[in-house]
Amino acid sequence: MTENARSNGGPSGHVGIGLFDRATTVVPAQDIRCPLPDPASREISRRQFLHTIGAAGALVALKASGVQRILASEDLDAIAAGTLDIATDHQWVMVFDLRRCDGCRDCIKGCQKEHFLPKEVEWIKVYDLVDAQGLEYSMPVLCMECENAPCVRVCPARATYYQPDGVIVVDQSICIGCRMCMAACPYDVRVFNWDRQPQPPVPPEHRGTRPEFTAPQRKGTVGKCAMCVHRLRLGEFPACVEACTMDAIYVGDLVEDVMSNGKETFMLSQYLRANDAFRYRAELGTAPRVYYVAGHGQDLDF
Amino acid sequence: MVALSDRSGELARAALAPASRSGRLSRAIVAMLGVLVLGGIAAYGYQLVNGLGVTGLNDDVFWGLYEVDIVTLIGFSYGGALVSAILRLTGASWRGPITRIAEATALTTLVVGAVFPIIHLGHPERVWRVATALQINSPITWDMLAIITYLIATVILFGLPVVADMGRLRGEPGLPGWKQRLFARGSFGWVGAEEQQRVLNRSLTALAIVIIPLAVMVHTVLAYAFSLTSRPGWHSTIFGPYFVVAAIYSGVAVVIIVSAAYRRAYHLEHWIPERAVINLGYLMAALGVLYGYLLFTEVTTEGYVGGEASEKLLYALLLDRWSLLFWVFVVGGLVVPLTIIAFKRTRTTTGVTVAACLVAGALLLKRFLMFVPPLTQPLISGDIGAYTPSWVELMVTVAAIAAIPLLLIALFKVIPVLSVTEIEEIAVSRGEAI
Amino acid sequence: MTRRRLSTVVATVSAGLVLLISSASFAADKPSPTISISLEPSSRPEVADVLAARLTDPDGKPVSEAPVEFWIRSDLLGERYAILGESPTDSSGVARLPFISHKDRYDVRATFDGDETWGAAEVVAPIEFSSARVVEYEATDPTQLGPLRFVMPRLMGIVLGMIWAALLGLAFFTLRSFKRLRPGGAQD
């Protein structure tokens, strides 16, 4: 594990002199594993999966029934108390397989359900685009958790910052609402809580006050996807990964070099190389952590 | 010296004229301005309670009229610094009657403009965090530091000649008691002695030298909040100079307007000669030409090979959705004012004042065109955004524009409107009568 | 039926039954090959290491033309195995897969799903990679301007501080001079 990946400043390592630097709790690992409740998450090889359509059908039915565990506040308290490892030996990434994305927007619904967002607020957006041949395809875009993020650099209050496992969070108890980060983000993934729509009610046991998970969202601050890092630290998949009915979304770890969508697991570097994965607008030098496998939904026609 | 003392009493009286007269018209104006300001404060209170959702902003256009106001109002303040500082350094003798008005305009527009960075925040009560977090890489931090520095410099540039004037005028007949006491304390022992005058001149010259790069710095960092992003239409290297030139251009226009207003209202035609106003008009015209050149460069560079996003934006600006506003700006903000000042027939105080009004309004429009259309263009894909300022934003903006003359009127009740010391000193140094 | 004929019949029937049962069970009991896994020296060490899985039958003879899948064990959100790839065994019963490791030690699993002749086989073994061969994750600065972005704003901040000091000093000293230079001596 290199020093850089662990520091509180991303690859260039500079967050500033910081009179009041944020300290994140680092405790030795206690491997907390929460086995997923649905038995269909058994490991099967990729080859088998593509051939076993019946199993896929059963999985789809199970997903649609909403087997998605929403985090409880005692879990979040455990993170705060430091009894849960804040994963300093992980560097999270996500992979989107555009050969499987059908633009159904289940990922958006899963995300909104997890974070109690109104349906107008989208932390993951799905764009319907047209490729060079004039064919339509869909591309989900969420916060790229850039290693060289422009948004972290420009926040005047240091309300948005890197966590040790690479994810960028917004502390809504600090954010002054200047929206400079929204101007700086080249991917348009940050939203402002204008508080114009009624928010879905958040039951007391699901309220969150931490930067990784804030529910309900605070008015007058900026919100964005944080790769559901509050779930990742508890051994759960992000909400969009679980909600995706096409298994097109994977979460991965650069340190362990593995990626999984809950059903199929691959070696990350190998998969990315074999499928010529790319990163969106990487030429801007942001070093995003979200990879895409180019496609136009061709794997949908099986 | 004989010629001086003949008219110095008249000069002093003229300088203090706005303090004494308070006719029905001026009272009505003050009342109206006060109502507008109070309305804006009430609207902002409404925004404080209900959040930024009451504005017309949205996730596409998240910066709107408030940011336009920041840049426009702080831009106005540069004109005052220019007139006072640069004219002093170049030894322009006609500056004498105008420097006080110029500095006062710079101060009031800066003070009002500096409130807006707080107004546009979602959590204004947390603005102190900008100072404690000290995120040295952030353009917003630079904004805060630059504005504070510029404010200090402007206050000092304004205040030192006022100290001298207080010493000069404390013995004037007809001063109310409180003013006599204020002038006595505020003069810091100024009696017009030669050594004191030397010290004052040296300090003001040093300040003038410092304030010019400071003003450039302020407007450049304001520009950096936009140009240090990777958005088409904003990420342009010309933004720094663009903002600086626009600021001086509009600032000189505002100085012209305020000078002309006070000149007419208090019959200061003798002390603020037509020549001074016309010279300001020339200055404004020169800056207008420079601004036109920068605009032309920007459009040509982006239009020739700007990439798909820049092309779409430029098309929308020049020929499509925003074209009416854009060409209104070009004609009303550049062509007409420059024409007015170019031709001798129209180059009168009235003509120059009309041109200045057009320039000030047009540059507010131009800031809108610089900030909002690029935000309506989607970064990745999707629908074009839209933005209409809400009544809250409009009322706050109108209140800010009304607050400037209100503050000036209040200021000139206390401070003399002409820099008596400076006018006399210039006359003495040139061996002329005032 | 005589007793001799009955015993013959019973013997035949039971022999037939034994034959039937044993042949049936023989048909159901496919032999399971043994599979072992190791790290082989690579012919192109600058490219990758080679994972090798050897498949042998119960007699020790190599099983060739058998597809072997390679996996690594990971703890990503629960224990799961990530597939690396598949490779058939050659004539000496060895299946090979090139592999670039990102950790110094992995639990590697090799599986053979079985076919008409053979049953399934599986092995999980820790494989250590020398640190020279491990390509660890390293965060990189994609621009080389990191130091510039660090130094310049701080430099500007220092300059600004000096300007504040100069401005306030200027105002203070000017006003003090007015008092000092008042003709008739410096009276405060």
Side-chain angles (χ1 to χ4, degrees):
Chain A
M1 256 297 294
T2 60
E3 205 40 53
N4 272 344
R6 202 197 298 260
S7 75
N8 197 21
S12 45
H14 309 124
V15 175
I17 342 174
L19 300 173
F20 304 90
D21 243 331
R22 304 203 67 75
T24 38
T25 318
V26 172
V27 287
Q30 254 180 295
D31 221 280
I32 310 278
R33 280 189 263 138
C34 302
L36 294 171
D38 69 354
S41 68
R42 197 167 41 93
E43 272 315 295
I44 43 181
S45 81
R46 180 176 175 205
R47 199 164 41 97
Q48 278 180 309
F49 171 74
L50 283 175
H51 289 316
T52 326
I53 297 176
L59 286 163
V60 168
L62 207 57
K63 278 277 139 46
S65 70
V67 185
Q68 184 182 333
R69 178 179 160 232
I70 302 202
L71 223 61
S73 23
E74 59 253 20
D75 298 324
L76 298 163
D77 290 340
I79 297 176
T83 54
L84 275 183
D85 169 29
I86 299 196
T88 54
D89 52 354
H90 295 286
Q91 291 290 313
W92 305 109
V93 299
M94 285 185 89
V95 183
F96 285 84
D97 189 346
L98 296 182
R99 299 168 298 194
R100 294 185 184 178
C101 179
D102 63 350
C104 68
R105 282 143 170 94
D106 279 348
C107 48
I108 303 180
K109 297 191 192 104
C111 171
Q112 288 171 338
K113 184 172 166 207
E114 168 78 13
H115 294 97
F116 301 93
L117 303 173
K119 65 172 168 52
E120 293 85 1
V121 176
E122 293 182 347
W123 287 3
I124 178 171
K125 298 186 174 119
V126 177
Y127 294 99
D128 298 312
L129 305 167
V130 172
D131 67 11
Q133 281 77 42
L135 299 168
E136 290 176 356
Y137 68 102
S138 298
M139 177 164 149
V141 171
L142 39 58
C143 174
M144 302 278 163
E145 320 288 348
C146 308
E147 292 179 8
N148 185 23
C151 59
V152 172
R153 225 182 294 145
V154 299
C155 177
R158 292 183 202 259
T160 185
Y161 52 92
Y162 302 100
Q163 296 239 315
D165 41 8
V167 168
I168 298 172
V169 296
V170 179
D171 190 337
Q172 295 189 346
S173 63
I174 294 180
C175 174
I176 63 175
C178 68
R179 310 184 293 291
M180 183 75 220
C181 56
M182 291 176 72
C185 176
Y187 301 103
D188 216 10
V189 294
R190 284 171 171 259
V191 300
F192 192 76
N193 294 315
W194 308 102
D195 204 37
R196 291 194 178 114
Q197 304 94 4
Q199 280 207 357
V202 184
E205 67 272 15
H206 291 312
R207 289 188 180 215
T209 53
R210 292 191 52 80
E212 298 93 329
F213 182 75
T214 312
Q217 288 277 293
R218 310 280 184 260
K219 179 174 77 176
T221 60
V222 167
K224 71 169 191 73
C225 158
M227 235 181 237
C228 277
V229 73
H230 62 293
R231 292 175 68 97
L232 289 172
R233 291 179 189 153
L234 289 170
E236 308 255 2
F237 281 87
C240 52
V241 175
E242 291 205 345
C244 178
T245 46
M246 307 313 301
D247 301 311
I249 314 181
Y250 300 79
V251 70
D253 180 3
L254 283 167
V255 173
E256 189 150 10
D257 197 26
V258 170
M259 60 187 264
S260 176
N261 60 6
K263 285 192 236 75
E264 307 152 84
T265 306
F266 305 105
M267 195 174 169
L268 178 67
S269 55
Q270 193 181 68
Y271 180 90
L272 295 176
R273 207 176 7 206
N275 294 290
D276 292 312
F278 68 93
R279 293 181 301 181
Y280 187 50
R281 300 183 96 190
E283 71 277 5
L284 292 171
T286 50
R289 288 170 186 267
V290 175
Y291 295 83
Y292 291 90
V293 173
H296 54 269
Q298 58 262 52
D299 278 359
L300 299 174
D301 313 320
F302 48 69
Chain B
M1 280 307 282
V2 172
L4 189 69
S5 59
D6 265 0
R7 315 227 36 203
S8 58
E10 277 187 46
L11 172 60
R13 270 193 303 280
L16 293 168
S20 52
R21 300 217 217 141
S22 198
R24 282 224 322 259
L25 179 64
S26 70
R27 265 198 278 249
I29 290 175
V30 166
M32 186 188 74
L33 294 174
V35 163
L36 289 175
V37 169
L38 285 175
I41 294 176
Y44 181 60
Y46 182 72
Q47 182 188 298
L48 273 181
V49 168
N50 294 302
L52 278 172
V54 304
T55 63
L57 299 168
N58 48 61
D59 281 336
D60 293 321
V61 185
F62 48 83
W63 278 352
L65 191 55
Y66 288 152
E67 283 66 27
V68 170
D69 291 335
I70 295 175
V71 177
T72 308
L73 291 172
I74 296 182
F76 286 163
S77 80
Y78 195 5
L82 180 85
V83 168
S84 177
I86 293 189
L87 293 184
R88 160 177 290 272
L89 289 177
T90 55
S93 62
W94 54 272
R95 76 178 189 276
I98 319 180
T99 55
R100 176 60 41 76
I101 291 177
E103 289 157 8
T105 312
L107 190 60
T108 48
T109 50
L110 181 62
V111 163
V112 173
V115 175
F116 273 87
I118 302 178
I119 291 182
H120 91 286
L121 294 179
H123 276 275
E125 76 279 5
R126 294 178 189 166
V127 70
W128 56 271
R129 287 193 178 273
V130 182
T132 53
L134 215 63
Q135 174 74 294
I136 206 75
N137 276 317
S138 168
I140 306 281
T141 310
W142 301 339
D143 276 352
M144 186 191 77
L145 294 174
I147 288 174
I148 290 177
T149 313
Y150 187 51
L151 189 62
I152 294 175
T154 308
V155 166
I156 297 175
L157 181 70
F158 177 74
L160 285 179
V162 166
V163 165
D165 266 8
M166 283 188 179
R168 163 75 178 78
L169 295 172
R170 62 192 270 198
E172 282 300 305
L175 271 186
W178 61 271
K179 226 181 209 178
Q180 276 181 341
R181 282 192 296 278
L182 173 69
F183 279 18
R185 311 275 331 251
S187 63
F188 283 85
W190 172 273
V191 292
E194 219 177 287
E195 305 84 41
Q196 288 176 330
Q197 186 74 57
R198 254 206 309 273
V199 166
L200 180 67
N201 280 341
R202 270 209 310 263
S203 299
L204 285 180
T205 307
L207 204 55
I209 294 173
V210 167
I211 206 169
I212 290 168
L214 267 186
V216 170
M217 179 188 74
V218 168
H219 297 98
T220 311
V221 299
L222 278 178
Y224 284 170
F226 300 92
S227 67
L228 267 54
T229 64
S230 49
R231 287 181 179 261
W234 280 7
H235 187 50
S236 173
T237 52
I238 210 176
F239 257 48
Y242 217 14
F243 274 48
V244 170
V245 174
I248 315 178
Y249 187 35
S250 58
V252 172
V254 170
V255 170
I256 291 175
I257 294 171
V258 176
S259 303
Y262 270 91
R263 185 174 180 263
R264 172 72 67 85
Y266 296 103
H267 302 292
L268 301 172
E269 286 86 352
H270 176 84
W271 305 107
I272 308 180
E274 186 174 19
R275 204 181 116 249
V277 180
I278 305 289
N279 282 348
L280 281 179
Y282 278 136
L283 191 58
M284 188 177 77
L287 291 163
V289 170
L290 183 57
Y291 191 73
Y293 166 66
L294 292 179
L295 175 65
F296 177 77
T297 305
E298 172 83 348
V299 169
T300 310
T301 310
E302 291 294 312
Y304 196 84
V305 60
E308 188 188 324
S310 285
E311 278 192 24
K312 282 198 190 135
L313 178 63
L314 212 55
Y315 177 74
L317 261 179
L318 263 55
L319 295 169
D320 196 23
R321 185 177 175 198
W322 305 100
S323 55
L324 178 65
L325 291 175
F326 181 80
W327 292 110
V328 161
F329 158 72
V330 170
V331 168
L334 288 174
V335 173
V336 171
L338 291 178
T339 317
I340 290 178
I341 294 172
F343 291 102
K344 202 165 164 91
R345 277 274 295 275
T346 44
R347 204 187 310 142
T348 61
T349 48
T350 319
V352 168
T353 313
V354 165
C357 291
L358 284 174
V359 167
L363 275 168
L364 185 114
L365 177 62
K366 180 61 164 68
R367 265 53 168 266
F368 183 86
L369 289 171
M370 262 199 290
F371 301 160
V372 172
L375 287 178
T376 61
Q377 301 288 126
L379 266 184
I380 298 176
S381 165
D383 297 328
I384 307 278
Y387 170 65
T388 317
S390 71
W391 66 269
V392 172
E393 292 166 285
L394 289 169
M395 278 186 73
V396 171
T397 306
V398 165
I401 297 175
I404 295 167
L406 198 60
L407 282 174
L408 283 170
I409 291 171
L411 195 64
F412 287 137
K413 291 280 176 214
V414 181
I415 312 284
V417 72
L418 297 172
S419 179
V420 177
T421 319
E422 204 163 338
I423 295 175
E424 291 178 343
E425 195 243 334
I426 294 175
V428 166
S429 67
R430 289 163 61 101
E432 287 174 359
I434 49 174
Chain C
M1 195 176 300
T2 63
R3 193 174 291 171
R4 217 210 260 122
R5 213 169 270 155
L6 187 64
S7 55
T8 316
V9 166
V10 168
T12 318
V13 168
S14 26
L17 276 172
V18 167
L19 212 61
L20 205 67
I21 291 168
S22 61
S23 69
S25 63
F26 189 83
D29 248 346
K30 282 188 287 188
S32 261
T34 336
I35 185 167
S36 67
I37 192 165
S38 63
L39 191 67
E40 269 191 8
S42 164
S43 62
R44 290 188 61 191
E46 73 280 7
V47 177
D49 290 308
V50 176
L51 293 172
R54 175 180 292 274
L55 203 59
T56 50
D57 67 11
D59 299 325
K61 288 211 305 291
V63 177
S64 57
E65 312 283 316
V68 173
E69 281 174 350
F70 292 84
W71 312 71
I72 46 172
R73 195 184 77 85
S74 97
D75 285 314
L76 182 75
L77 307 173
E79 184 181 310
R80 54 192 78 245
Y81 284 91
I83 185 156
L84 298 177
E86 183 196 293
S87 180
T89 53
D90 61 10
S91 50
S92 58
V94 178
R96 294 187 176 82
L97 192 74
F99 176 68
I100 298 175
S101 172
H102 287 245
K103 270 168 52 168
D104 52 12
R105 186 201 136 102
Y106 275 116
D107 289 336
V108 183
R109 182 173 94 171
T111 57
F112 167 60
D113 287 335
D115 53 19
E116 318 82 44
T117 334
W118 307 105
E122 169 181 315
V123 66
V124 183
I127 304 274
E128 299 226 346
F129 302 86
S130 68
S131 49
R133 308 282 310 123
V134 170
V135 180
E136 260 193 9
Y137 164 69
E138 241 178 48
T140 49
D141 185 357
T143 76
Q144 290 85 14
L145 288 179
L148 188 73
R149 289 208 192 107
F150 185 82
V151 164
M152 279 218 33
R154 282 160 182 77
L155 208 64
M156 295 188 321
I158 293 172
V159 169
L160 209 65
M162 290 180 351
I163 292 176
W164 284 22
L167 285 174
L168 295 169
L170 182 81
F172 175 71
F173 282 114
T174 309
L175 293 176
R176 210 171 62 144
S177 305
F178 288 172
K179 285 200 170 164
R180 290 263 172 85
L181 295 172
R182 191 164 48 182
Q187 318 128 354
D188 280 349

